[in-house]
Amino acid sequence: MGTHKIETQTVPDPELVNPHDAIIKITKTAICGSDLHLYDGFIPTMESGDIMGHEFMGIVEEVGKDVTNLKRGDRVVVPFTIACGNCLFCKKKLWAACDNTNPNAHLMEAAYGYSGSGLFGYSHMMGGYAGGQAQYARVPFANVGPLKIESDLPDEKVLFLSDIFPTGYQAAENAQILPGDTVAVWGCGPVGQFAIASAFMLGAGRVIAIDRLPERLALARSLGAVTVDYSENDTDVLTALKDLTGGIGPDSCIDAVGLEGHSTELQGVYDKIKTAVMLETDRPVVLRQAIQAIRKGGTVSVPGVYGGLLDKVPFGAAFGKGITMKMGQTNMHSYMKPLLERIEQNQIDPSYIISHRITLDQAPDMYKVWRDKKENVTKIVIDPWA
Ligand SMILES: [Zn+2]
Ligand SMILES: [Zn+2]
């Protein structure tokens, strides 16, 4: 309903609009860290009454006449990016760059040159699609996106295939990890957690996890990461990373924080002021640190969301050290099936990050808790029918 204003309301049920749409009755949905960028008003083109949410799964209720691989009653997880499956970019498996799913592409083209794919529940410049923190959602291009779950795995084990598990996995893949490498991960929220787990899956010898919240650091340790609490007295992240890597720096750095980075240092104050007076759109504290910390020739991977123009990013350091940077929205459709197989094979149970299970009516209050990181919150799952 506005910045820091979420309400639960009864709205008309979604209807089929196109022949390749499906209507999904949502059985579980979640609140994402990136929903906070909307809640905090960092992403423009939100309108009062927009439905939030891009992490959801459920049962197919109804399909359009051109939907051939789903039928009523199928159980599916829906990826947060919407892809047509037929454009140049989909053919290259760059699903998040789909050319056909953002009806408001012109809004993005002005700022970015070209638009990425449409996203559920993520502002009008990203397509204006109603989100999944609801009882029902309309899913366009239903032949391409939704992943059928044919086993009897509980919702909570597969729900995070809708975003954060593939997003963490792509972050680790983008980090170009070689066996035995040391990987530093900033942010031990949900995406950071899955980036840590995935880094180990891809052969990392050691993962160093950086955060300030004890409950998140504990989860990171439970995965086998070494942790650095930057809020502790005298903890300088760059010095800590140097000490932990024999003065060389991590082989790969993953920024799982993005545009609302928090800092106890002077630059944190600088970013707060500059974003407040609209001279900067993002607070790239972590990106700066990652570029400083990375070893020469290393790779910086950025799954954290950035939106606009960043100040004082040490590009000279990036050039001087010859680093590689990889980033972007997740090419979801490539990862969902292989990662489902890892869950089925018991290599990981993604539900370990869930701290809160709530109803839709509790969601407005829980946004506040999530934003302020109260109640040891690590991940909120909503049952829209409870
Ligand atoms: Zn998300
Ligand atoms: Zn496409």
Side-chain angles (χ1 to χ4, degrees), residues 32-35 54-55 80 163-164 379:
C32 182
S34 68
D35 286 328
H54 58 267
E55 302 181 354
F80 77 99
D163 175 1
I164 51 178
K379 184 73 182 176

Side-chain angles (χ1 to χ4, degrees), residues 84-318:
C84 78
N86 278 309
C87 69
L88 173 70
F89 297 98
C90 285
K91 291 242 158 81
K92 287 179 188 289
K93 300 198 184 305
L94 296 169
W95 311 96
C98 176
D99 239 354
N100 279 331
T101 55
N102 184 358
N104 298 326
H106 63 283
L107 295 176
M108 294 299 290
E109 283 162 4
Y112 289 8
Y114 300 95
S115 174
S117 76
L119 309 178
F120 287 104
Y122 218 80
S123 83
H124 288 263
M125 67 181 189
M126 305 287 192
Y129 292 99
Q133 285 161 16
Q135 292 180 319
Y136 292 96
R138 177 177 78 93
V139 174
F141 297 100
N143 283 324
V144 185
L147 172 74
K148 255 193 263 188
I149 306 294
E150 289 170 295
S151 62
D152 56 2
L153 286 169
D155 282 0
E156 288 186 354
K157 279 198 182 188
V158 293
L159 171 63
F160 303 141
L161 290 168
S162 59
D163 175 1
I164 51 178
F165 184 16
T167 295
Y169 190 88
Q170 178 177 288
E173 208 176 70
N174 278 349
Q176 308 193 112
I177 298 164
L178 295 175
D181 273 358
T182 295
V183 180
V185 178
W186 277 256
C188 298
V191 170
Q193 293 294 329
F194 291 118
I196 294 167
S198 303
F200 281 123
M201 287 176 190
L202 293 172
R206 192 163 51 144
V207 176
I208 303 166
I210 303 149
D211 206 297
R212 72 192 149 105
L213 299 164
E215 59 276 12
R216 293 181 169 204
L217 290 166
L219 286 181
R221 278 192 294 273
S222 78
L223 294 172
V226 178
T227 54
V228 172
D229 177 352
Y230 71 84
S231 71
E232 260 173 18
N233 287 342
D234 304 325
T235 299
D236 172 61
V237 174
L238 295 179
T239 309
L241 289 175
K242 234 179 210 176
D243 289 349
L244 285 164
T245 55
I248 290 172
D251 300 294
S252 303
C253 291
I254 297 177
D255 169 1
V257 175
L259 66 86
E260 291 188 74
H262 166 273
S263 171
T264 51
E265 296 165 27
L266 192 59
Q267 56 165 328
V269 180
Y270 172 89
D271 287 327
K272 265 217 154 116
I273 294 168
K274 285 209 75 166
T275 49
V277 297
M278 314 280 268
L279 285 172
E280 181 183 36
T281 56
D282 302 29
R283 303 198 300 254
V285 188
V286 168
L287 186 62
R288 291 183 193 125
Q289 276 186 357
I291 292 173
Q292 285 296 127
I294 190 78
R295 72 152 164 83
K296 290 178 277 187
T299 302
V300 173
S301 160
V302 186
V305 172
Y306 286 93
L309 303 173
L310 280 53
D311 237 36
K312 295 203 183 319
V313 171
F315 207 77

Side-chain angles (χ1 to χ4, degrees), residues 17-70:
V17 175
N18 291 308
H20 44 62
D21 287 350
I23 303 296
I24 308 293
K25 179 178 179 180
I26 296 167
T27 53
K28 289 285 187 316
T29 175
I31 305 180
C32 182
S34 68
D35 286 328
L36 295 176
H37 307 322
L38 306 173
Y39 183 69
D40 290 338
F42 274 81
I43 309 280
T45 72
M46 287 298 282
E47 291 172 14
S48 179
D50 282 349
I51 299 174
M52 304 279 290
H54 58 267
E55 302 181 354
F56 60 98
M57 65 176 296
I59 309 288
V60 176
E61 177 87 2
E62 199 184 348
V63 294
K65 69 172 171 53
D66 290 349
V67 176
T68 50
N69 58 2
L70 289 181

